[in-house]
Amino acid sequence: MSAVFNPTQTLAQLQEIVGSRHVLTKDQDTRLYRQGRRFGEGKVFAVVSPGSLWEQWQVLQVAIAADCIVLMQAANTGLTGGSTPFGDDYDRPIILMSTRRLQVIHVINEGEQVLCLAGATLDALEKQLAPYNREPHSVIGSSCIGASVLGGVCNNSGGALVRRGPAYTELALYAQVDEQGQLQLVNHLGIELGECPEDILNNLEHKNFTPNQIINDASRHASDQRYAHDVTQVDADTPARFNADPSRLFEASGSAGKVCVFAVRLDSFEKLASQVFYIGSNQQDDLTAIRRFLLTELARLPIAGEYVHRTAYDIGAEYGKDTFLFIEKFGTAKVPAAFAFKDKVDGVLSKWGMAGLSDKVLQMVSKLMPMHLPKRMNQFRDRYEHHLILRVEDQDAAQVEAFLSDYFKPETTTISQSRQLGDYFHCTAEEGRKAFLHRFAIAGAAIRYRDTHKSEVEDIVALDIALARNDRDWLESLPAELEEAIIHKLYYGHFLCHVFHQDYIVKKGVDPMAMEHAMWKLLDQRGAEYPAEHNVGHLYLAKPALKQHYQKLDPCNCFNVGIGQTSKLKHWR
């Protein structure tokens, strides 16, 4: 490796590989890449966007030879700063490699599996699998905001779809730097692609291989094989899934950018005809009883079950409205471009001392738009504190309806009195679609609230937690001193696996980090794991098993250094 970093030479080499327009160095141009959507930012030497896998390899060679830190980034949709720099205390320059131009997807094995290059998005994968009547690992949530396939795998994220669990594969093509500082390309895709990096990468990208060169090894899996069983163990005193689960850390899976991933091989899933039920209650015990029935007595596992608290419903309805309407009008594929345009506008406005103006304008415009949520959903909002959006297969709908009808039927009270406590309705196709879209628009609503109330709000404390499967007290009770520091609490999440997102909008003058640490202590007392499905980023502390995974993958500490509050120094000093 170079003893002295030569910025002029390194920049020239990068420009020669990818072209000058794909090497960004000015702060205004790199802003979109070096700032997290909710958390984290820092400086970079350059943002480089390769246009092929061979260019990706060449850029990586230049970065390692120049003794630079390599920060891999796909869609930059994370919430914990896991694919952006953080602070200015790095011991080497950072080259951020954006894979947004590498969106090739190959369908193999008659649609039962796919090969996704580094920048492939969930939205594009969903569309490419549609003719096969199959789906990717995730089709809601992340796919609504343009997230990448590899981002999910590298962070063990996902899990909204109950049968599929966290994004996971044991079949990947990646590069790592060994203990001697040598760059190595590792082909564990299970496809014969050649011997040298140039052949391997070009053959993969251009699909220069035959079905006979695809090895289907039963010992290596392209999806989580045990989650469907784990989630049904409703009396277990441990979470069903969480980001740092040692049993789900395997090479690229859970790597969090500690290797340079070129492609992954993943299973696809049969697309099933389904129906949606909307459930409301004023007692958390009702939802617990329904959850236990669905996971232990239903003939087949539900497809999805999403929880929304009334406050989250309200904040999402008002401050996530434009996101909801944009996706309805233009589809999920246009969301990344919209975010990129808004970021450029925000960059200019910040220079003019008008930070937050775009959010205020968008919020004013959205208020003029007609009500976007179905009437029956809004009626349930008025009547019930807790909401559960449930999707099941067509063939299970009758059993679910029979259970819900019996569960909420009046006994010694009148119907009107009984239904003050809880009720349900069987959604139309439009109601079901809008219910799930609203749930996922909520995720960004707290950010909009913060950015339009800067005089009142210090920041957001966002927790992503996994509770024990047998935890019946899933709705927390906070100490008075924490309650007093909070303006709004937004609770929502993947209820059937007991993974919750808890966003706290805190008052001006409150130290968000101190509050977060206080929250962690409470979660530790409850036996919760966190983060549950997002990268630890620079927000959370990597637990020992996760840190060991990072050190094994990246012994010289060249990639995404400092992740999980680990060392930012070379060789993990």
Side-chain angles (χ1 to χ4, degrees), residues 1-2 67 91-92 556-558 567-573:
M1 292 188 182
S2 305
D67 199 14
D91 63 345
R92 291 153 286 167
C556 294
N557 206 19
C558 299
S567 171
K568 289 185 175 180
L569 305 180
K570 193 173 178 179
H571 298 297
W572 300 90
R573 291 194 301 270

Side-chain angles (χ1 to χ4, degrees), residues 57-327:
W57 172 258
Q58 292 177 292
V59 169
L60 186 58
Q61 285 181 309
V62 169
I64 297 303
D67 199 14
C68 289
I69 292 166
V70 177
L71 208 168
M72 300 301 301
Q73 184 185 96
N76 194 19
T77 58
L79 303 179
T80 61
S83 59
T84 57
F86 184 73
D88 57 2
D89 55 343
Y90 294 91
D91 63 345
R92 291 153 286 167
I94 296 174
I95 292 177
L96 191 156
M97 198 187 314
S98 170
T99 62
R100 295 185 188 203
R101 298 174 64 206
L102 304 173
Q103 297 195 8
V104 174
I105 298 169
H106 297 313
V107 179
I108 61 173
N109 291 339
E110 300 180 337
E112 293 189 2
Q113 289 189 325
V114 293
L115 294 167
C116 295
L117 269 58
T121 64
L122 284 165
D123 180 83
L125 179 56
E126 185 176 349
K127 291 175 180 175
Q128 198 150 331
L129 284 171
Y132 298 87
N133 196 41
R134 298 187 73 82
E135 296 176 332
H137 165 270
S138 180
V139 296
I140 53 178
S142 296
S143 57
C144 289
I145 56 173
S148 71
V149 176
L150 263 69
V153 172
C154 293
N155 297 327
N156 286 140
S157 59
L161 299 181
V162 181
R163 305 176 186 186
R164 302 177 193 177
Y168 179 82
T169 188
E170 296 167 0
L171 302 166
L173 175 65
Y174 61 93
Q176 63 183 157
V177 176
D178 63 22
E179 293 180 358
Q180 287 72 46
Q182 300 300 308
L183 185 62
Q184 307 285 346
L185 184 65
V186 180
N187 180 11
H188 285 168
L189 279 175
I191 304 175
E192 297 170 357
L193 296 168
E195 297 299 326
C196 71
E198 187 171 6
D199 287 345
I200 291 170
L201 297 170
N202 285 330
N203 286 336
L204 171 62
E205 184 164 0
H206 301 293
K207 208 176 183 180
N208 294 331
F209 56 88
T210 67
N212 291 334
Q213 291 172 271
I214 300 173
I215 302 165
N216 295 307
D217 182 355
S219 68
R220 286 216 171 208
H221 303 296
S223 62
D224 191 314
Q225 300 295 297
R226 59 186 176 84
Y227 181 74
H229 168 268
D230 292 353
V231 76
T232 63
Q233 308 306 298
V234 295
D235 292 314
D237 61 0
T238 56
R241 62 180 175 92
F242 58 98
N243 179 270
D245 181 351
S247 67
R248 290 186 169 98
L249 300 176
F250 188 92
E251 297 179 354
S253 295
S255 62
K258 295 302 288 182
V259 291
C260 177
V261 184
F262 290 83
V264 293
R265 178 174 165 185
L266 296 165
D267 289 332
S268 66
F269 302 86
E270 183 183 0
K271 191 172 185 177
L272 302 169
S274 63
Q275 298 181 39
V276 176
F277 292 87
Y278 200 96
I279 301 162
S281 178
N282 288 317
Q283 300 183 115
Q284 61 173 317
D285 287 347
D286 285 344
L287 268 58
T288 296
I290 293 168
R291 171 179 173 268
R292 293 177 70 87
F293 160 78
L294 293 169
L295 295 178
T296 62
E297 297 185 44
L298 195 63
R300 283 154 291 273
L301 279 175
I303 295 172
E306 294 296 305
Y307 170 76
V308 177
H309 185 270
R310 178 187 277 151
T311 303
Y313 185 106
D314 291 345
I315 298 292
E318 183 172 356
Y319 295 93
K321 185 176 181 180
D322 59 326
T323 299
F324 182 106
L325 294 172
F326 183 91
I327 293 172

Side-chain angles (χ1 to χ4, degrees), residues 404-411 418-419:
L404 293 175
S405 177
D406 182 68
Y407 186 86
F408 288 118
K409 74 180 180 183
E411 295 178 353
S418 173
R419 291 185 176 174

